[in-house]
Amino acid sequence: MSPFDLLLQQFVNGLSLGAMYALLALGFTIVYGIMELINFSHFNVFMIGSFVAMGVLSLFGLSGQTVLLHGFPLVGVLVVALVVTMVACGMLGVGIERLALRPLRGVQGPMAMITTIGVSYVLSNAVMLTMGANTKNFPNPIPSVALHIGTAQITVFQFIIWALSAVLMGGLYLFVQRSKLGKAMRATAQDPDAALMMGVDVNRVIMTAFFLGSALAGAAGFIFGLYYNFTNFGIGFTAGLRAFTAAVLGGIGNIPGAMIGGLLIGLIEAMAGQYIGAKWADVIIFSLLVLVLVCRPAGLLGRLAPTKS
Amino acid sequence: MAGGLPPMLEFRNVNTYYGDLHVLKDVNYNLGAGEIICLLGGNACGKSTTMKTIMGIVRPTSGEVVFEGERIDRLPTAERVKRGIAPVLEARRLFPRMTVFENLEMGAFTRKRGADFDQDLERVYTLFPRVKERREQQAGTLSGGEQQMVAIGRALMARPKLICMDEPSMGLSPLFVEQTFDIIQQINRQGVTIFMVEQNAAMALSIAHRAYVLQTGRVVLSGPAAEMRENEHVRDAYLGEMQVVAA
């Protein structure tokens, strides 16, 4: 492989990983934007997403490396698996909010955040106890057709990731910008008391934020499984921490910021893996985080707002 | 009391607490439909709590809040907005990173979007041509006076029967204060009842029909605005700067 092809290849890989991190980062940022809460249970909603997707695929007989289906049936199964995963994760997110966080509404301090850490442990342990602690093979049903540019290649799967991420992020952006509920979300994020006095049902806005963020985490979990061809109860931690970094890097609470932060983290991971050594990826990612926070405490696209009273 | 007008909003022996702090003490108000009522008082006397109690941000511990003959003190805020109560918040509190138009849309949040939305929008634009010019601009980039126009416009978009204004003159230049009070009178003439908390007592009493004076959570004085202007207590306590303004 020529140096240029190698760079191109890692760029392609980085964009694919980055799209996954961006989807996951959006969940952190949407919830933070509205509640100023860092939701650590998001890590394991993502992990559960990969398990749900694996379960749905296996219902259709897809497991391991076998390519059983082609064409429209395969697309159909993938779409069904995606929709089921996203809805299931969205409802899980809403359930977490309803059961664990709503009772803490109005409590000052870090209680809600600590609670999300607790929920995160409950989720990962529940999966470990019911599914087993061993690593599972995630099915790989997508044919390995690829577009070749020199010796670099872009697989069909990578195109699918990009298209899917673009559709989901575009849909989220349109929802938040144009729909009535989306506007209520933005209004609540900017001034919760004023939004309440316009007649916005703040609980409904919070539920929507959890549903959307968790559904996107489910999609990211599905992508993770297809990308790495494995899953286990512990995948949420590394990927979740990187995605959280992406959200902070872009400016937490800022939706385009999370997208850009995610892509950046994906590219760093791919490039570091190629040129420096995969084990350095996290070192570079978190060093960059420290650097950005020192130079631009609000993140790349964030703005420093006066603390809400 | 309300000069024969049908009552729009009543407080009946309302008591409100923040924890142990007794903020409103056996408060009674009676606002007639179509009136401009102003609420005077020093700092921390319960003026803002009155507004919050009307909007449902604070629940009274005892007593009743009655709007058009029905109790509303247990209703959620959204329901109160639907019934026709809209706020103009202290310091305006626009959504800074939404456009002026989106801020107006938020004012109509509890209503179905129909033809009357455009009518109301037109009404706001007619009242404030400046707001129309700025409709695509982010609200946070407007001047204080322009923000006040949007804040009042936003309240009108709810098609309210009653507008509760918390310190409408705060932070505005004298010219804008005068304009704001003109607008408040215009809106009132269109049939909207106005309940206004205001530090600028001279200005408020010049357009109000009646006034209440709160002192440490109790109504100590109430009556027609003209009488209040002559009242010695009110003159001493709240109209001190009137001479300065006149001079």
Side-chain angles (χ1 to χ4, degrees):
Chain A
M1 247 184 175
S2 72
F4 175 75
D5 288 350
L6 208 58
L7 185 67
L8 180 66
Q9 185 66 62
Q10 291 311 335
F11 187 73
V12 166
N13 294 349
L15 278 189
S16 311
L17 277 175
M20 179 185 81
Y21 289 135
L23 289 174
L24 194 49
L26 283 169
F28 287 114
T29 242
I30 298 171
V31 167
Y32 185 88
I34 287 168
M35 300 176 75
E36 294 190 0
L37 166 74
I38 298 166
N39 171 23
F40 287 107
S41 68
H42 197 58
F43 286 22
N44 284 323
V45 173
F46 159 81
M47 178 272 290
I48 286 176
S50 74
F51 275 88
V52 174
M54 189 173 72
V56 177
L57 291 179
S58 74
L59 282 182
F60 287 98
L62 297 178
S63 61
Q65 299 296 311
T66 49
V67 181
L68 285 175
L69 297 170
H70 295 281
F72 284 119
L74 176 62
V75 174
V77 168
L78 289 175
V79 169
V80 168
L82 178 72
V83 170
V84 171
T85 304
M86 289 182 69
V87 171
C89 286
M91 282 163 49
L92 177 63
V94 170
I96 291 170
E97 191 278 317
R98 185 72 194 82
L99 292 176
L101 296 172
R102 195 174 299 179
L104 294 173
R105 195 74 46 76
V107 177
Q108 296 290 317
M111 272 63 131
M113 186 188 77
I114 308 274
T115 302
T116 66
I117 296 176
V119 172
S120 203
Y121 275 106
V122 170
L123 294 179
S124 72
N125 280 281
V127 170
M128 185 182 76
L129 289 172
T130 52
M131 308 301 291
N134 56 330
T135 294
K136 313 277 183 292
N137 283 325
F138 198 95
N140 184 17
I142 298 171
S144 53
V145 183
L147 173 72
H148 292 270
I149 303 170
T151 49
Q153 56 172 5
I154 310 174
T155 63
V156 173
F157 174 51
Q158 283 171 322
F159 278 117
I160 293 176
I161 296 181
W162 297 344
L164 175 63
S165 310
V167 166
L168 291 177
M169 291 189 218
L172 177 74
Y173 187 77
L174 282 182
F175 175 81
V176 169
Q177 288 297 320
R178 301 277 170 80
S179 76
K180 194 168 177 182
L181 198 50
K183 285 174 187 170
M185 284 174 76
R186 281 192 290 146
T188 307
Q190 293 175 26
D191 192 334
D193 294 338
L196 179 65
M197 286 202 243
M198 298 298 115
V200 171
D201 180 346
V202 174
N203 276 333
R204 195 158 153 241
V205 164
I206 291 173
M207 267 170 58
T208 309
F210 269 84
F211 184 87
L212 292 175
S214 303
L216 293 178
F222 190 12
I223 291 175
F224 179 95
L226 290 171
Y227 197 93
Y228 292 107
N229 298 125
F230 80 89
T231 186
N232 65 45
F233 73 96
I235 64 164
F237 188 71
T238 313
L241 209 52
R242 286 179 187 170
F244 173 63
T245 306
V248 175
L249 208 57
I252 193 150
N254 183 306
I255 289 178
M259 297 176 186
I260 288 170
L263 290 179
L264 211 55
I265 296 283
L267 286 171
I268 292 171
E269 185 179 334
M271 296 298 170
Q274 178 65 44
Y275 295 105
I276 304 171
K279 58 179 181 285
W280 288 91
D282 279 335
V283 176
I284 295 168
I285 288 170
F286 293 117
S287 303
L288 183 70
L289 176 68
V290 172
L291 195 70
V292 167
L293 287 182
V294 169
C295 301
R296 274 190 69 87
L300 294 174
L301 300 188
R303 61 184 82 65
L304 279 178
T307 314
K308 286 173 192 162
S309 55
Chain B
M1 284 190 48
L5 295 164
M8 167 132 305
L9 182 82
E10 290 169 80
F11 270 45
R12 296 178 183 159
N13 302 316
V14 168
N15 284 283
T16 302
Y17 288 82
Y18 289 135
D20 289 335
L21 192 65
H22 197 172
V23 185
L24 294 184
K25 299 166 185 164
D26 262 328
V27 166
N28 287 283
Y29 304 121
N30 192 333
L31 318 193
E35 284 188 301
I36 300 179
I37 309 283
C38 83
L39 184 57
L40 305 176
N43 285 328
C45 66
K47 288 180 307 194
S48 287
T49 305
T50 295
M51 292 297 153
K52 287 179 183 159
T53 307
I54 297 172
M55 293 314 300
I57 308 302
V58 176
R59 299 269 159 101
T61 314
S62 66
E64 296 179 356
V65 180
V66 177
F67 182 69
E68 295 191 310
E70 283 179 60
R71 272 188 78 167
I72 58 164
D73 48 81
R74 298 282 169 243
L75 294 179
T77 303
E79 183 57 33
R80 303 181 196 209
V81 177
K82 255 184 231 166
R83 291 187 181 204
I85 308 177
V88 173
L89 303 172
E90 188 176 352
R92 296 168 284 279
R93 301 285 286 270
L94 299 181
F95 303 110
R97 292 181 302 285
M98 294 173 89
T99 64
V100 165
F101 176 74
E102 285 173 333
N103 269 276
L104 296 177
E105 273 187 310
M106 286 309 295
F109 187 78
T110 58
R111 297 171 51 204
K112 288 225 159 47
R113 181 80 165 257
D116 51 354
F117 176 86
D118 295 332
Q119 258 175 34
D120 291 348
L121 196 62
E122 225 21 74
R123 176 181 171 204
V124 171
Y125 286 162
T126 314
L127 212 51
F128 306 108
R130 196 63 165 275
V131 170
K132 188 175 186 179
E133 282 168 33
R134 307 268 164 162
R135 63 184 180 269
E136 293 307 325
Q137 204 169 319
Q138 292 217 327
T141 64
L142 301 182
S143 73
E146 289 168 337
Q147 290 197 14
Q148 183 64 277
M149 296 176 188
V150 179
I152 294 174
R154 185 172 68 173
L156 287 174
M157 291 305 289
R159 203 167 262 210
K161 296 169 184 160
L162 169 67
I163 297 185
C164 295
M165 297 189 172
D166 204 346
E167 307 283 1
S169 77
M170 196 173 76
L172 297 182
S173 67
L175 183 70
F176 266 124
V177 172
E178 206 146 323
Q179 277 185 15
T180 301
F181 281 90
D182 274 352
I183 292 285
I184 293 172
Q185 274 186 305
Q186 275 188 50
I187 293 168
N188 174 251
R189 272 187 231 113
Q190 294 172 6
V192 182
T193 309
I194 310 276
F195 194 21
M196 169 169 60
V197 164
E198 185 52 67
Q199 294 277 0
N200 190 339
M203 206 66 188
L205 285 176
S206 73
I207 65 162
H209 301 113
R210 287 189 305 125
Y212 289 89
V213 177
L214 268 184
Q215 209 169 53
T216 59
R218 255 179 237 287
V219 176
V220 291
L221 205 61
S222 68
E227 272 175 37
M228 299 291 252
R229 278 198 297 270
E230 304 306 320
N231 183 291
E232 218 165 291
H233 169 76
V234 174
R235 290 189 90 112
D236 286 351
Y238 307 109
L239 300 180
E241 69 229 25
M242 204 176 180
Q243 277 68 31
V244 182
V245 173

mmCIF file of all heavy atoms in Angstrom, chain A residues 53-94:
data_model
loop_
_atom_site.group_PDB
_atom_site.id
_atom_site.type_symbol
_atom_site.label_atom_id
_atom_site.label_comp_id
_atom_site.label_asym_id
_atom_site.label_seq_id
_atom_site.Cartn_x
_atom_site.Cartn_y
_atom_site.Cartn_z
ATOM 1 N N ALA A 53 -29.797 -5.936 18.862
ATOM 2 C CA ALA A 53 -29.607 -6.126 17.419
ATOM 3 C C ALA A 53 -29.182 -7.562 17.117
ATOM 4 O O ALA A 53 -29.688 -8.197 16.185
ATOM 5 C CB ALA A 53 -28.555 -5.140 16.901
ATOM 6 N N MET A 54 -28.262 -8.074 17.943
ATOM 7 C CA MET A 54 -27.800 -9.451 17.740
ATOM 8 C C MET A 54 -28.972 -10.429 17.883
ATOM 9 O O MET A 54 -29.115 -11.356 17.091
ATOM 10 C CB MET A 54 -26.716 -9.774 18.765
ATOM 11 C CG MET A 54 -26.009 -11.096 18.521
ATOM 12 S SD MET A 54 -24.622 -11.296 19.649
ATOM 13 C CE MET A 54 -25.485 -11.586 21.184
ATOM 14 N N GLY A 55 -29.809 -10.189 18.862
ATOM 15 C CA GLY A 55 -30.967 -11.049 19.074
ATOM 16 C C GLY A 55 -31.908 -11.023 17.886
ATOM 17 O O GLY A 55 -32.372 -12.075 17.425
ATOM 18 N N VAL A 56 -32.188 -9.843 17.362
ATOM 19 C CA VAL A 56 -33.117 -9.739 16.233
ATOM 20 C C VAL A 56 -32.524 -10.443 15.014
ATOM 21 O O VAL A 56 -33.210 -11.203 14.314
ATOM 22 C CB VAL A 56 -33.439 -8.271 15.902
ATOM 23 C CG1 VAL A 56 -34.347 -8.184 14.683
ATOM 24 C CG2 VAL A 56 -34.103 -7.592 17.092
ATOM 25 N N LEU A 57 -31.230 -10.217 14.766
ATOM 26 C CA LEU A 57 -30.598 -10.869 13.608
ATOM 27 C C LEU A 57 -30.658 -12.388 13.740
ATOM 28 O O LEU A 57 -30.912 -13.099 12.766
ATOM 29 C CB LEU A 57 -29.145 -10.405 13.458
ATOM 30 C CG LEU A 57 -28.947 -8.945 13.037
ATOM 31 C CD1 LEU A 57 -27.469 -8.609 12.940
ATOM 32 C CD2 LEU A 57 -29.638 -8.650 11.716
ATOM 33 N N SER A 58 -30.430 -12.882 14.966
ATOM 34 C CA SER A 58 -30.438 -14.336 15.129
ATOM 35 C C SER A 58 -31.850 -14.894 14.950
ATOM 36 O O SER A 58 -32.018 -16.034 14.522
ATOM 37 C CB SER A 58 -29.850 -14.737 16.483
ATOM 38 O OG SER A 58 -30.766 -14.441 17.497
ATOM 39 N N LEU A 59 -32.876 -14.101 15.245
ATOM 40 C CA LEU A 59 -34.256 -14.544 14.990
ATOM 41 C C LEU A 59 -34.457 -14.820 13.502
ATOM 42 O O LEU A 59 -35.247 -15.668 13.110
ATOM 43 C CB LEU A 59 -35.256 -13.471 15.426
ATOM 44 C CG LEU A 59 -35.557 -13.354 16.913
ATOM 45 C CD1 LEU A 59 -36.611 -12.271 17.148
ATOM 46 C CD2 LEU A 59 -36.048 -14.680 17.466
ATOM 47 N N PHE A 60 -33.733 -14.072 12.671
ATOM 48 C CA PHE A 60 -33.843 -14.301 11.232
ATOM 49 C C PHE A 60 -32.806 -15.313 10.749
ATOM 50 O O PHE A 60 -32.539 -15.435 9.556
ATOM 51 C CB PHE A 60 -33.663 -12.976 10.472
ATOM 52 C CG PHE A 60 -34.851 -12.064 10.615
ATOM 53 C CD1 PHE A 60 -34.845 -11.041 11.547
ATOM 54 C CD2 PHE A 60 -35.977 -12.238 9.818
ATOM 55 C CE1 PHE A 60 -35.938 -10.199 11.681
ATOM 56 C CE2 PHE A 60 -37.076 -11.397 9.950
ATOM 57 C CZ PHE A 60 -37.063 -10.377 10.882
ATOM 58 N N GLY A 61 -32.172 -16.001 11.680
ATOM 59 C CA GLY A 61 -31.209 -17.042 11.310
ATOM 60 C C GLY A 61 -29.838 -16.508 10.955
ATOM 61 O O GLY A 61 -29.000 -17.234 10.430
ATOM 62 N N LEU A 62 -29.600 -15.223 11.227
ATOM 63 C CA LEU A 62 -28.292 -14.675 10.900
ATOM 64 C C LEU A 62 -27.380 -14.773 12.114
ATOM 65 O O LEU A 62 -27.650 -14.201 13.160
ATOM 66 C CB LEU A 62 -28.414 -13.205 10.484
ATOM 67 C CG LEU A 62 -29.228 -12.934 9.226
ATOM 68 C CD1 LEU A 62 -29.311 -11.443 8.975
ATOM 69 C CD2 LEU A 62 -28.614 -13.626 8.032
ATOM 70 N N SER A 63 -26.312 -15.534 11.964
ATOM 71 C CA SER A 63 -25.345 -15.590 13.042
ATOM 72 C C SER A 63 -23.988 -15.913 12.444
ATOM 73 O O SER A 63 -23.885 -16.419 11.322
ATOM 74 C CB SER A 63 -25.737 -16.627 14.089
ATOM 75 O OG SER A 63 -25.793 -17.897 13.478
ATOM 76 N N GLY A 64 -22.944 -15.611 13.158
ATOM 77 C CA GLY A 64 -21.594 -15.892 12.686
ATOM 78 C C GLY A 64 -21.290 -15.174 11.386
ATOM 79 O O GLY A 64 -21.824 -14.097 11.101
ATOM 80 N N GLN A 65 -20.450 -15.802 10.564
ATOM 81 C CA GLN A 65 -19.970 -15.134 9.354
ATOM 82 C C GLN A 65 -20.810 -15.469 8.133
ATOM 83 O O GLN A 65 -20.508 -15.023 7.043
ATOM 84 C CB GLN A 65 -18.514 -15.552 9.093
ATOM 85 C CG GLN A 65 -17.553 -15.165 10.203
ATOM 86 C CD GLN A 65 -17.441 -13.666 10.352
ATOM 87 O OE1 GLN A 65 -17.246 -12.960 9.371
ATOM 88 N NE2 GLN A 65 -17.609 -13.174 11.573
ATOM 89 N N THR A 66 -21.827 -16.317 8.311
ATOM 90 C CA THR A 66 -22.577 -16.780 7.147
ATOM 91 C C THR A 66 -23.352 -15.650 6.485
ATOM 92 O O THR A 66 -23.985 -14.841 7.156
ATOM 93 C CB THR A 66 -23.587 -17.867 7.553
ATOM 94 O OG1 THR A 66 -24.305 -17.375 8.679
ATOM 95 C CG2 THR A 66 -22.891 -19.160 7.880
ATOM 96 N N VAL A 67 -23.287 -15.595 5.181
ATOM 97 C CA VAL A 67 -24.085 -14.646 4.417
ATOM 98 C C VAL A 67 -25.236 -15.425 3.809
ATOM 99 O O VAL A 67 -25.095 -16.070 2.789
ATOM 100 C CB VAL A 67 -23.237 -13.963 3.325
ATOM 101 C CG1 VAL A 67 -24.071 -12.969 2.551
ATOM 102 C CG2 VAL A 67 -22.043 -13.283 3.957
ATOM 103 N N LEU A 68 -26.378 -15.405 4.499
ATOM 104 C CA LEU A 68 -27.515 -16.218 4.060
ATOM 105 C C LEU A 68 -28.393 -15.460 3.079
ATOM 106 O O LEU A 68 -28.975 -16.025 2.172
ATOM 107 C CB LEU A 68 -28.387 -16.598 5.264
ATOM 108 C CG LEU A 68 -27.845 -17.676 6.200
ATOM 109 C CD1 LEU A 68 -28.772 -17.821 7.385
ATOM 110 C CD2 LEU A 68 -27.707 -18.980 5.452
ATOM 111 N N LEU A 69 -28.519 -14.172 3.332
ATOM 112 C CA LEU A 69 -29.481 -13.388 2.566
ATOM 113 C C LEU A 69 -28.743 -12.405 1.667
ATOM 114 O O LEU A 69 -27.619 -11.984 1.956
ATOM 115 C CB LEU A 69 -30.377 -12.593 3.527
ATOM 116 C CG LEU A 69 -31.240 -13.415 4.472
ATOM 117 C CD1 LEU A 69 -31.872 -12.524 5.511
ATOM 118 C CD2 LEU A 69 -32.302 -14.167 3.691
ATOM 119 N N HIS A 70 -29.408 -12.041 0.576
ATOM 120 C CA HIS A 70 -28.842 -11.040 -0.320
ATOM 121 C C HIS A 70 -29.926 -10.064 -0.703
ATOM 122 O O HIS A 70 -31.108 -10.344 -0.545
ATOM 123 C CB HIS A 70 -28.280 -11.707 -1.581
ATOM 124 C CG HIS A 70 -27.110 -12.601 -1.294
ATOM 125 N ND1 HIS A 70 -25.841 -12.143 -1.081
ATOM 126 C CD2 HIS A 70 -27.065 -13.949 -1.143
ATOM 127 C CE1 HIS A 70 -25.045 -13.154 -0.821
ATOM 128 N NE2 HIS A 70 -25.765 -14.268 -0.848
ATOM 129 N N GLY A 71 -29.516 -8.946 -1.246
ATOM 130 C CA GLY A 71 -30.470 -8.021 -1.831
ATOM 131 C C GLY A 71 -31.516 -7.537 -0.858
ATOM 132 O O GLY A 71 -31.232 -7.307 0.320
ATOM 133 N N PHE A 72 -32.745 -7.429 -1.353
ATOM 134 C CA PHE A 72 -33.806 -6.819 -0.561
ATOM 135 C C PHE A 72 -34.100 -7.539 0.750
ATOM 136 O O PHE A 72 -34.311 -6.877 1.767
ATOM 137 C CB PHE A 72 -35.073 -6.674 -1.402
ATOM 138 C CG PHE A 72 -34.973 -5.546 -2.377
ATOM 139 C CD1 PHE A 72 -35.065 -5.773 -3.745
ATOM 140 C CD2 PHE A 72 -34.753 -4.245 -1.928
ATOM 141 C CE1 PHE A 72 -34.948 -4.728 -4.651
ATOM 142 C CE2 PHE A 72 -34.639 -3.199 -2.829
ATOM 143 C CZ PHE A 72 -34.736 -3.432 -4.198
ATOM 144 N N PRO A 73 -34.135 -8.893 0.762
ATOM 145 C CA PRO A 73 -34.407 -9.539 2.054
ATOM 146 C C PRO A 73 -33.385 -9.130 3.109
ATOM 147 O O PRO A 73 -33.740 -8.868 4.260
ATOM 148 C CB PRO A 73 -34.304 -11.036 1.739
ATOM 149 C CG PRO A 73 -34.568 -11.131 0.283
ATOM 150 C CD PRO A 73 -34.043 -9.876 -0.326
ATOM 151 N N LEU A 74 -32.099 -9.052 2.713
ATOM 152 C CA LEU A 74 -31.068 -8.666 3.675
ATOM 153 C C LEU A 74 -31.295 -7.243 4.168
ATOM 154 O O LEU A 74 -31.271 -6.975 5.374
ATOM 155 C CB LEU A 74 -29.682 -8.782 3.037
ATOM 156 C CG LEU A 74 -28.533 -8.302 3.929
ATOM 157 C CD1 LEU A 74 -28.429 -9.137 5.188
ATOM 158 C CD2 LEU A 74 -27.211 -8.314 3.164
ATOM 159 N N VAL A 75 -31.562 -6.349 3.220
ATOM 160 C CA VAL A 75 -31.824 -4.960 3.602
ATOM 161 C C VAL A 75 -33.016 -4.903 4.548
ATOM 162 O O VAL A 75 -32.988 -4.220 5.572
ATOM 163 C CB VAL A 75 -32.090 -4.086 2.347
ATOM 164 C CG1 VAL A 75 -32.514 -2.684 2.762
ATOM 165 C CG2 VAL A 75 -30.849 -4.027 1.472
ATOM 166 N N GLY A 76 -34.044 -5.682 4.215
ATOM 167 C CA GLY A 76 -35.245 -5.707 5.046
ATOM 168 C C GLY A 76 -34.932 -6.139 6.463
ATOM 169 O O GLY A 76 -35.348 -5.489 7.428
ATOM 170 N N VAL A 77 -34.167 -7.214 6.593
ATOM 171 C CA VAL A 77 -33.828 -7.716 7.929
ATOM 172 C C VAL A 77 -33.014 -6.676 8.705
ATOM 173 O O VAL A 77 -33.254 -6.425 9.886
ATOM 174 C CB VAL A 77 -33.048 -9.053 7.825
ATOM 175 C CG1 VAL A 77 -32.457 -9.421 9.179
ATOM 176 C CG2 VAL A 77 -33.959 -10.155 7.330
ATOM 177 N N LEU A 78 -32.062 -6.059 8.002
ATOM 178 C CA LEU A 78 -31.238 -5.053 8.678
ATOM 179 C C LEU A 78 -32.081 -3.874 9.151
ATOM 180 O O LEU A 78 -31.891 -3.361 10.259
ATOM 181 C CB LEU A 78 -30.121 -4.560 7.749
ATOM 182 C CG LEU A 78 -29.001 -5.574 7.464
ATOM 183 C CD1 LEU A 78 -28.020 -5.017 6.441
ATOM 184 C CD2 LEU A 78 -28.268 -5.964 8.744
ATOM 185 N N VAL A 79 -33.029 -3.454 8.314
ATOM 186 C CA VAL A 79 -33.879 -2.326 8.696
ATOM 187 C C VAL A 79 -34.737 -2.699 9.904
ATOM 188 O O VAL A 79 -34.854 -1.929 10.860
ATOM 189 C CB VAL A 79 -34.759 -1.866 7.516
ATOM 190 C CG1 VAL A 79 -35.823 -0.886 7.980
ATOM 191 C CG2 VAL A 79 -33.888 -1.220 6.431
ATOM 192 N N VAL A 80 -35.309 -3.926 9.851
ATOM 193 C CA VAL A 80 -36.124 -4.363 10.987
ATOM 194 C C VAL A 80 -35.282 -4.383 12.264
ATOM 195 O O VAL A 80 -35.686 -3.868 13.309
ATOM 196 C CB VAL A 80 -36.725 -5.770 10.726
ATOM 197 C CG1 VAL A 80 -37.329 -6.333 12.015
ATOM 198 C CG2 VAL A 80 -37.784 -5.691 9.635
ATOM 199 N N ALA A 81 -34.070 -4.959 12.156
ATOM 200 C CA ALA A 81 -33.200 -5.038 13.333
ATOM 201 C C ALA A 81 -32.882 -3.638 13.849
ATOM 202 O O ALA A 81 -32.891 -3.380 15.061
ATOM 203 C CB ALA A 81 -31.915 -5.784 12.991
ATOM 204 N N LEU A 82 -32.619 -2.713 12.930
ATOM 205 C CA LEU A 82 -32.287 -1.342 13.346
ATOM 206 C C LEU A 82 -33.454 -0.683 14.059
ATOM 207 O O LEU A 82 -33.295 -0.100 15.136
ATOM 208 C CB LEU A 82 -31.891 -0.518 12.111
ATOM 209 C CG LEU A 82 -31.571 0.943 12.420
ATOM 210 C CD1 LEU A 82 -30.246 1.052 13.157
ATOM 211 C CD2 LEU A 82 -31.543 1.787 11.152
ATOM 212 N N VAL A 83 -34.646 -0.817 13.450
ATOM 213 C CA VAL A 83 -35.809 -0.151 14.040
ATOM 214 C C VAL A 83 -36.122 -0.744 15.420
ATOM 215 O O VAL A 83 -36.332 -0.010 16.397
ATOM 216 C CB VAL A 83 -37.034 -0.259 13.105
ATOM 217 C CG1 VAL A 83 -38.292 0.218 13.810
ATOM 218 C CG2 VAL A 83 -36.793 0.535 11.830
ATOM 219 N N VAL A 84 -36.114 -2.086 15.498
ATOM 220 C CA VAL A 84 -36.402 -2.724 16.789
ATOM 221 C C VAL A 84 -35.375 -2.280 17.831
ATOM 222 O O VAL A 84 -35.727 -1.927 18.960
ATOM 223 C CB VAL A 84 -36.390 -4.264 16.655
ATOM 224 C CG1 VAL A 84 -36.463 -4.921 18.028
ATOM 225 C CG2 VAL A 84 -37.558 -4.727 15.790
ATOM 226 N N THR A 85 -34.094 -2.266 17.438
ATOM 227 C CA THR A 85 -33.040 -1.876 18.375
ATOM 228 C C THR A 85 -33.236 -0.446 18.854
ATOM 229 O O THR A 85 -33.148 -0.151 20.047
ATOM 230 C CB THR A 85 -31.658 -1.998 17.697
ATOM 231 O OG1 THR A 85 -31.510 -3.328 17.215
ATOM 232 C CG2 THR A 85 -30.548 -1.681 18.681
ATOM 233 N N MET A 86 -33.509 0.443 17.911
ATOM 234 C CA MET A 86 -33.646 1.853 18.292
ATOM 235 C C MET A 86 -34.849 2.070 19.192
ATOM 236 O O MET A 86 -34.766 2.799 20.183
ATOM 237 C CB MET A 86 -33.730 2.738 17.040
ATOM 238 C CG MET A 86 -32.396 2.826 16.306
ATOM 239 S SD MET A 86 -32.449 3.908 14.861
ATOM 240 C CE MET A 86 -32.620 5.510 15.644
ATOM 241 N N VAL A 87 -35.972 1.445 18.848
ATOM 242 C CA VAL A 87 -37.171 1.624 19.672
ATOM 243 C C VAL A 87 -36.943 1.029 21.063
ATOM 244 O O VAL A 87 -37.271 1.645 22.092
ATOM 245 C CB VAL A 87 -38.404 1.003 18.994
ATOM 246 C CG1 VAL A 87 -39.597 0.995 19.949
ATOM 247 C CG2 VAL A 87 -38.754 1.766 17.725
ATOM 248 N N ALA A 88 -36.347 -0.178 21.103
ATOM 249 C CA ALA A 88 -36.122 -0.828 22.399
ATOM 250 C C ALA A 88 -35.204 0.032 23.270
ATOM 251 O O ALA A 88 -35.468 0.254 24.458
ATOM 252 C CB ALA A 88 -35.519 -2.215 22.195
ATOM 253 N N CYS A 89 -34.125 0.541 22.678
ATOM 254 C CA CYS A 89 -33.199 1.360 23.452
ATOM 255 C C CYS A 89 -33.854 2.682 23.860
ATOM 256 O O CYS A 89 -33.657 3.161 24.976
ATOM 257 C CB CYS A 89 -31.923 1.635 22.662
ATOM 258 S SG CYS A 89 -30.869 0.188 22.572
ATOM 259 N N GLY A 90 -34.626 3.247 22.950
ATOM 260 C CA GLY A 90 -35.330 4.487 23.286
ATOM 261 C C GLY A 90 -36.229 4.282 24.491
ATOM 262 O O GLY A 90 -36.254 5.101 25.419
ATOM 263 N N MET A 91 -36.946 3.157 24.495
ATOM 264 C CA MET A 91 -37.846 2.900 25.618
ATOM 265 C C MET A 91 -37.056 2.609 26.891
ATOM 266 O O MET A 91 -37.481 2.998 27.987
ATOM 267 C CB MET A 91 -38.808 1.768 25.272
ATOM 268 C CG MET A 91 -39.927 2.296 24.367
ATOM 269 S SD MET A 91 -40.874 1.082 23.461
ATOM 270 C CE MET A 91 -41.312 -0.080 24.680
ATOM 271 N N LEU A 92 -35.923 1.950 26.736
ATOM 272 C CA LEU A 92 -35.065 1.722 27.907
ATOM 273 C C LEU A 92 -34.629 3.063 28.509
ATOM 274 O O LEU A 92 -34.687 3.262 29.734
ATOM 275 C CB LEU A 92 -33.843 0.893 27.501
ATOM 276 C CG LEU A 92 -32.804 0.628 28.592
ATOM 277 C CD1 LEU A 92 -33.400 -0.187 29.730
ATOM 278 C CD2 LEU A 92 -31.576 -0.087 28.011
ATOM 279 N N GLY A 93 -34.230 3.978 27.636
ATOM 280 C CA GLY A 93 -33.823 5.307 28.107
ATOM 281 C C GLY A 93 -34.950 6.012 28.840
ATOM 282 O O GLY A 93 -34.754 6.590 29.913
ATOM 283 N N VAL A 94 -36.153 5.965 28.252
ATOM 284 C CA VAL A 94 -37.311 6.598 28.886
ATOM 285 C C VAL A 94 -37.583 5.950 30.249
ATOM 286 O O VAL A 94 -37.875 6.627 31.233
ATOM 287 C CB VAL A 94 -38.550 6.491 27.975
ATOM 288 C CG1 VAL A 94 -39.804 6.913 28.707
ATOM 289 C CG2 VAL A 94 -38.354 7.347 26.728
#
